[in-house]
mmCIF file of all heavy atoms in Angstrom:
data_model
loop_
_atom_site.group_PDB
_atom_site.id
_atom_site.type_symbol
_atom_site.label_atom_id
_atom_site.label_comp_id
_atom_site.label_asym_id
_atom_site.label_seq_id
_atom_site.Cartn_x
_atom_site.Cartn_y
_atom_site.Cartn_z
ATOM 1 N N LEU X 22 -10.485 -5.622 2.756
ATOM 2 C CA LEU X 22 -10.580 -5.967 4.177
ATOM 3 C C LEU X 22 -12.037 -6.154 4.607
ATOM 4 O O LEU X 22 -12.351 -7.061 5.384
ATOM 5 C CB LEU X 22 -9.933 -4.868 5.026
ATOM 6 C CG LEU X 22 -8.409 -4.859 5.039
ATOM 7 C CD1 LEU X 22 -7.898 -3.643 5.803
ATOM 8 C CD2 LEU X 22 -7.868 -6.127 5.659
ATOM 9 N N GLU X 23 -12.910 -5.302 4.094
ATOM 10 C CA GLU X 23 -14.322 -5.427 4.427
ATOM 11 C C GLU X 23 -14.874 -6.781 3.972
ATOM 12 O O GLU X 23 -15.600 -7.453 4.698
ATOM 13 C CB GLU X 23 -15.119 -4.295 3.781
ATOM 14 C CG GLU X 23 -16.586 -4.308 4.135
ATOM 15 C CD GLU X 23 -17.346 -3.167 3.477
ATOM 16 O OE1 GLU X 23 -16.772 -2.440 2.653
ATOM 17 O OE2 GLU X 23 -18.540 -3.041 3.787
ATOM 18 N N GLY X 24 -14.498 -7.196 2.775
ATOM 19 C CA GLY X 24 -14.933 -8.494 2.271
ATOM 20 C C GLY X 24 -14.418 -9.630 3.136
ATOM 21 O O GLY X 24 -15.150 -10.591 3.417
ATOM 22 N N LYS X 25 -13.159 -9.525 3.577
ATOM 23 C CA LYS X 25 -12.580 -10.570 4.427
ATOM 24 C C LYS X 25 -13.256 -10.616 5.791
ATOM 25 O O LYS X 25 -13.500 -11.698 6.339
ATOM 26 C CB LYS X 25 -11.077 -10.352 4.585
ATOM 27 C CG LYS X 25 -10.303 -10.650 3.310
ATOM 28 C CD LYS X 25 -8.831 -10.400 3.486
ATOM 29 C CE LYS X 25 -8.091 -10.676 2.189
ATOM 30 N NZ LYS X 25 -6.652 -10.436 2.309
ATOM 31 N N VAL X 26 -13.583 -9.451 6.343
ATOM 32 C CA VAL X 26 -14.257 -9.401 7.638
ATOM 33 C C VAL X 26 -15.647 -10.031 7.526
ATOM 34 O O VAL X 26 -16.059 -10.810 8.382
ATOM 35 C CB VAL X 26 -14.343 -7.951 8.165
ATOM 36 C CG1 VAL X 26 -15.311 -7.840 9.332
ATOM 37 C CG2 VAL X 26 -12.964 -7.455 8.570
ATOM 38 N N LYS X 27 -16.375 -9.717 6.451
ATOM 39 C CA LYS X 27 -17.698 -10.304 6.251
ATOM 40 C C LYS X 27 -17.594 -11.828 6.123
ATOM 41 O O LYS X 27 -18.410 -12.568 6.670
ATOM 42 C CB LYS X 27 -18.365 -9.721 5.007
ATOM 43 C CG LYS X 27 -18.872 -8.317 5.207
ATOM 44 C CD LYS X 27 -19.537 -7.789 3.953
ATOM 45 C CE LYS X 27 -20.028 -6.369 4.147
ATOM 46 N NZ LYS X 27 -20.638 -5.812 2.935
ATOM 47 N N LEU X 28 -16.593 -12.288 5.399
ATOM 48 C CA LEU X 28 -16.389 -13.721 5.244
ATOM 49 C C LEU X 28 -16.087 -14.380 6.582
ATOM 50 O O LEU X 28 -16.639 -15.434 6.914
ATOM 51 C CB LEU X 28 -15.260 -13.984 4.246
ATOM 52 C CG LEU X 28 -14.932 -15.436 3.955
ATOM 53 C CD1 LEU X 28 -16.119 -16.104 3.269
ATOM 54 C CD2 LEU X 28 -13.695 -15.536 3.073
ATOM 55 N N LEU X 29 -15.229 -13.747 7.386
ATOM 56 C CA LEU X 29 -14.903 -14.287 8.702
ATOM 57 C C LEU X 29 -16.125 -14.315 9.618
ATOM 58 O O LEU X 29 -16.337 -15.281 10.350
ATOM 59 C CB LEU X 29 -13.785 -13.468 9.346
ATOM 60 C CG LEU X 29 -12.382 -13.705 8.796
ATOM 61 C CD1 LEU X 29 -11.403 -12.696 9.392
ATOM 62 C CD2 LEU X 29 -11.926 -15.114 9.086
ATOM 63 N N LEU X 30 -16.936 -13.269 9.571
ATOM 64 C CA LEU X 30 -18.136 -13.232 10.404
ATOM 65 C C LEU X 30 -19.131 -14.311 10.001
ATOM 66 O O LEU X 30 -19.729 -14.973 10.853
ATOM 67 C CB LEU X 30 -18.795 -11.852 10.334
ATOM 68 C CG LEU X 30 -18.095 -10.740 11.111
ATOM 69 C CD1 LEU X 30 -18.772 -9.403 10.850
ATOM 70 C CD2 LEU X 30 -18.086 -11.051 12.594
ATOM 71 N N SER X 31 -19.316 -14.502 8.713
ATOM 72 C CA SER X 31 -20.250 -15.541 8.280
ATOM 73 C C SER X 31 -19.718 -16.921 8.652
ATOM 74 O O SER X 31 -20.476 -17.799 9.071
ATOM 75 C CB SER X 31 -20.521 -15.446 6.783
ATOM 76 O OG SER X 31 -19.371 -15.786 6.036
ATOM 77 N N ARG X 32 -18.432 -17.119 8.526
ATOM 78 C CA ARG X 32 -17.829 -18.400 8.908
ATOM 79 C C ARG X 32 -17.967 -18.636 10.408
ATOM 80 O O ARG X 32 -18.262 -19.738 10.853
ATOM 81 C CB ARG X 32 -16.356 -18.414 8.482
ATOM 82 C CG ARG X 32 -15.638 -19.691 8.781
ATOM 83 C CD ARG X 32 -16.096 -20.796 7.873
ATOM 84 N NE ARG X 32 -15.294 -21.974 8.148
ATOM 85 C CZ ARG X 32 -15.755 -23.199 8.130
ATOM 86 N NH1 ARG X 32 -16.999 -23.415 7.795
ATOM 87 N NH2 ARG X 32 -14.973 -24.209 8.415
ATOM 88 N N HIS X 33 -17.767 -17.583 11.194
ATOM 89 C CA HIS X 33 -17.908 -17.691 12.648
ATOM 90 C C HIS X 33 -19.338 -18.068 13.007
ATOM 91 O O HIS X 33 -19.567 -18.931 13.861
ATOM 92 C CB HIS X 33 -17.524 -16.365 13.311
ATOM 93 C CG HIS X 33 -17.710 -16.382 14.791
ATOM 94 N ND1 HIS X 33 -18.865 -15.954 15.392
ATOM 95 C CD2 HIS X 33 -16.891 -16.800 15.790
ATOM 96 C CE1 HIS X 33 -18.762 -16.097 16.694
ATOM 97 N NE2 HIS X 33 -17.571 -16.607 16.963
#
Side-chain angles (χ1 to χ4, degrees):
L22 284 174
E23 183 180 7
K25 289 179 181 180
V26 167
K27 285 181 181 178
L28 181 65
L29 285 172
L30 285 175
S31 68
R32 182 72 176 143
H33 177 267

